[in-house]
Amino acid sequence: MKRILTLLVIFIGLQVTASNDKYRLSLRGNPATSIVIGWNQISGSNPTVYYGTIDYGTNYSNYPNAKSPDRTVSYKSMNNTFARLTGLQPNTAYYFVVRDSQGTSERFWFKTASADKSRLSFIAGGDSRNNRTPRQNANRLVAKLKPHAVLFGGDMTDSDSSSQWQTWFNDWQLTIAADGRMFPIIAARGNHEDSNNSIYNLFDVPSSSVYYAITFGDNLVRTYTLNTEISISGNQTTWLQNDLNSNSNVLWKMAQYHKPMRPHVSYKSEGNSQYSNWARLFYDKEVKLVIECDAHTVKTTWPVRPSTGSGSDEGFIRDDQNGTVYAGEGCWGAPLRSNDDNKNWTRNSARFNQFKWIFIDEDKIETRTIRVDNASQVGSVSNNNVFQIPSNLDIWNPSNGSVVTINKGTTVDPDPDNGSINVAIISGDDDVEEAQDGSLYTNSSDLELVYDSNANAGNQIIGLRFRSLNLPKNATITNAYLQFTADESNSANAALEISLHNSSNSSAFTTSANNVSSRQVFSSKVLWNPNSWSSGQSSNAQRTPNLKNMVQSLVNKSNWASGNNASFIIRGKGVSLTNTSAKRVADSYEGGAGKATKLIVNYTTDDSIPVDICLGISPWQSGISYVTGDKVTYLDYLYERTSSGWSNLGACGTLRSNVDVSKIQAPPLEELQNDLFFVISPNPFTDQISIKTSLFEPNKKYTINVYTLTGRVVHKEDVSSRLKSTPIKLTPKIIQTGIYLLSIKDENGKTIHTKRLVKQ
């Protein structure tokens, strides 16, 4: 009898356990309505996924839906089997098992993404390669943080061998939560994957070329997965550009790929092909976050835009308002490397095992860097609230803060003659409270307007600094207001005076005494008697009266330029200085970046000079003609000032009869020197460099040197002055791609121009 019972238990066990393993989820289509279930079919036949919205455990016959495999490929000594589930309900838990002729798998489950603009959570990283301990720790944290998807940037294994891939998938099972919940991977190819097949055949990604895009939510975010191991230019970039153009209605765009454009490890090669093909495209099409891998170090940049002008470093310059944040660079288990190549736009860098934890909602992207080594001590988020920070989570907190926040920032109306901007406070140092004794409080979670009983602050003066206002000079301001979010409920009558700093480019607030109240303001002030506020509201009651007159005074200042900063100052008046209850309390940046104060401005412009003509009047000695607004003629070409510098619009036409000569004015010479006095092209260059300038004096000799970033001269050439219209042609014998510095010196050895060049 005992033998019979033993045999019966063994028989039942064989029936219960299916002959499959190495489970994985991936995405090919809409994450709200579809998913791909993948596994390795060891033996047996007729594998089928049984699934439904009710948990029947391993009782496969109770599940209402069944799906046979759509694709099976033998690869890396595994029978990789994929069932593509479609027609699912958004934001819904689905339970499933894989049943074959030999039995039934464990019960797993997943949750589809929402179809609306609900907040999303992602984990992003890469380079798991050959150190299993940090790799397994990072995998365990996936199970505990429960992201909507994992963006994995390549180099899963070290040698792309069958045995290493099988071990990798065994480790990947650690990403399955204790209750059986699984999370989809969005996989990119790295240089340790020998071919695209490793990603295409093991994760069933939607493109055999391994570049593709997935949109989450109601056009909340589109994630681009790119491939740095194939040609960057050509088909891939053409697809990327077309897809970005076709998805302009998506609120947020982010990208991942393997090799970084500008690695933060000194011996890694520069990604010049990515830079020349993607950097400007990312900036122009508002790709706000890019995750890079490969270098095995830790970095996050400030928002940057491509630029080779003054102040740029390796082809980028900081642009807090409209730039792209680059983060990475892969530490999921690969050997760590030193962060020894920081740039002037690097926010922070370090060296440890990590990945990025990313939250995205309608107002902002938040990115945290998570150290993974203490994974076993970390708690787990709830299935009902995946945004709650779990216990013992080791969030990196460097000098510039633990959370990198990307706000929607400035939005510009596409009609240049009917514009609007919507600019939010983007730093805790930009919304400050000045106490009655003149001291400044810069990190409060709220803003008392104006009485604060804390630390004898008393009746405060509030400073609000908005950066990079894209308001054209002399634009006609039709409407302007501040939008607050109420932190508290207050209903007592209050009186607030709003003024604007009388400065064409308002400087940052400092901790020196009276740094807000001592600023000179425009004479046009506005008295505000706000209605009652209810905590959490951000509507008409929290909106100031029209501030257009003071903003008009600002853009009419002689030195105002689009992209400059402005600071508003708020004081208590009358009842708000005598009644401590006569106040309003707003959220500050520290109280929640999405709740920070916003400045909204509507404007019109009246520029009667078309963009496609040149002005042929009153040229300067430098060869530059007078300009209107942001347009200038130089050396027979028309240029336009853009957010990234001066852009060549083409050869000059003829002066038209409808030009309003009264609006013609001269731009500051210092603005034009780097981009117009010297036209150096192409940049990046391949073989030849052309230099066009009007500053060379007759019968003078000039020396042109090209240096490496370490100061070694790789090309030196003496040239003589010539006609302005005749460019100087250089053919430096430079083989190594990378960043170089060009300098031009006169006969006295004085440097008259420098330029960073990219050799591709």
Side-chain angles (χ1 to χ4, degrees), residues 450 493-497 527-530 571-577 582:
V450 291
N493 292 335
L496 304 171
E497 180 189 82
L527 184 64
W528 182 25
N529 300 113
R571 294 175 165 86
K573 297 293 286 187
V575 64
S576 288
L577 297 178

Side-chain angles (χ1 to χ4, degrees), residues 68 72 155 164 182 184 238 242 256 283 331 380 457 460 462 515 522 583 732:
S68 58
T72 299
D155 276 12
Q164 287 189 0
M182 295 180 65
T238 299
N242 291 339
Q256 69 158 345
Y283 180 75
C331 293
S380 179
Q460 304 180 129
I462 306 301
N515 192 253
F522 291 105
K583 65 178 181 180

Side-chain angles (χ1 to χ4, degrees), residues 475-544:
T476 300
I477 307 302
T478 58
N479 191 27
Y481 59 89
L482 299 173
Q483 180 67 60
F484 295 95
T485 299
D487 183 66
E488 296 180 6
S489 297
N490 296 102
S491 58
N493 292 335
L496 304 171
E497 180 189 82
I498 305 172
S499 57
L500 180 60
H501 185 199
N502 188 349
S503 168
S504 60
N505 193 13
S506 186
S507 59
F509 296 116
T510 70
T511 56
S512 58
N514 303 305
N515 192 253
V516 178
S517 60
S518 63
R519 299 186 179 211
Q520 297 297 312
V521 298
F522 291 105
S523 59
S524 54
K525 302 173 184 178
V526 170
L527 184 64
W528 182 25
N529 300 113
N531 294 328
S532 298
W533 284 15
S534 295
S535 178
Q537 280 188 343
S538 182
S539 58
N540 289 339
Q542 292 76 37
R543 182 175 299 175
T544 67

Side-chain angles (χ1 to χ4, degrees), residues 41 53 95 111-112 129 136 143 146 159 170 176 218 243 279 300 331 361 416 482 489 530 541 551 587 627 631:
Q41 188 66 38
T53 58
Y95 303 88
K111 190 174 184 179
T112 53
R129 280 179 53 184
Q136 291 174 340
K146 307 184 190 309
S159 63
N170 287 337
I176 303 174
D218 180 19
D243 195 276
T300 304
C331 293
D361 59 35
L482 299 173
S489 297
V551 178
D587 282 300
V627 302
K631 300 175 184 70

Side-chain angles (χ1 to χ4, degrees), residues 108-167:
F108 303 104
W109 71 284
F110 62 88
K111 190 174 184 179
T112 53
S114 296
D116 56 20
K117 288 185 170 62
S118 297
R119 197 180 191 192
L120 294 171
S121 166
F122 296 99
I123 284 174
D127 295 276
S128 53
R129 280 179 53 184
N130 50 348
N131 291 329
R132 290 190 70 187
T133 297
R135 180 169 80 189
Q136 291 174 340
N137 282 332
N139 290 355
R140 290 186 181 99
L141 285 179
V142 171
K144 293 181 176 184
L145 297 182
K146 307 184 190 309
H148 290 92
V150 178
L151 281 71
F152 205 100
D155 276 12
M156 285 75 165
T157 69
D158 188 49
S159 63
D160 203 41
S161 68
S162 296
S163 61
Q164 287 189 0
W165 270 110
Q166 292 174 47
T167 301

Side-chain angles (χ1 to χ4, degrees), residues 221-226 240-241 243-245 247 250-257 261 278-291 301-306 316 319 321-326 365 406-408:
V221 58
R222 188 160 174 85
T223 62
Y224 288 88
T225 296
L226 302 175
L240 176 62
Q241 184 169 14
D243 195 276
L244 287 167
N245 289 336
N247 288 276
V250 175
L251 195 59
W252 294 103
K253 304 179 188 73
M254 60 185 293
Q256 69 158 345
Y257 48 79
M261 286 188 191
W278 294 346
R280 170 58 58 178
L281 197 55
F282 288 162
Y283 180 75
D284 289 344
K285 301 302 179 181
E286 298 184 308
V287 178
K288 292 299 185 182
L289 177 62
V290 174
I291 304 297
T301 75
W302 295 106
V304 295
R305 59 177 165 84
F316 285 105
D319 183 346
Q321 195 65 49
N322 298 305
T324 302
V325 171
Y326 292 79
I365 298 177
I406 306 172
N407 292 302
K408 284 308 293 179

Side-chain angles (χ1 to χ4, degrees), residues 434-439 450-460:
E434 181 184 306
Q436 286 189 160
D437 64 2
S439 61
V450 291
Y451 180 76
D452 186 355
S453 60
N454 184 41
N456 299 314
N459 289 319
Q460 304 180 129

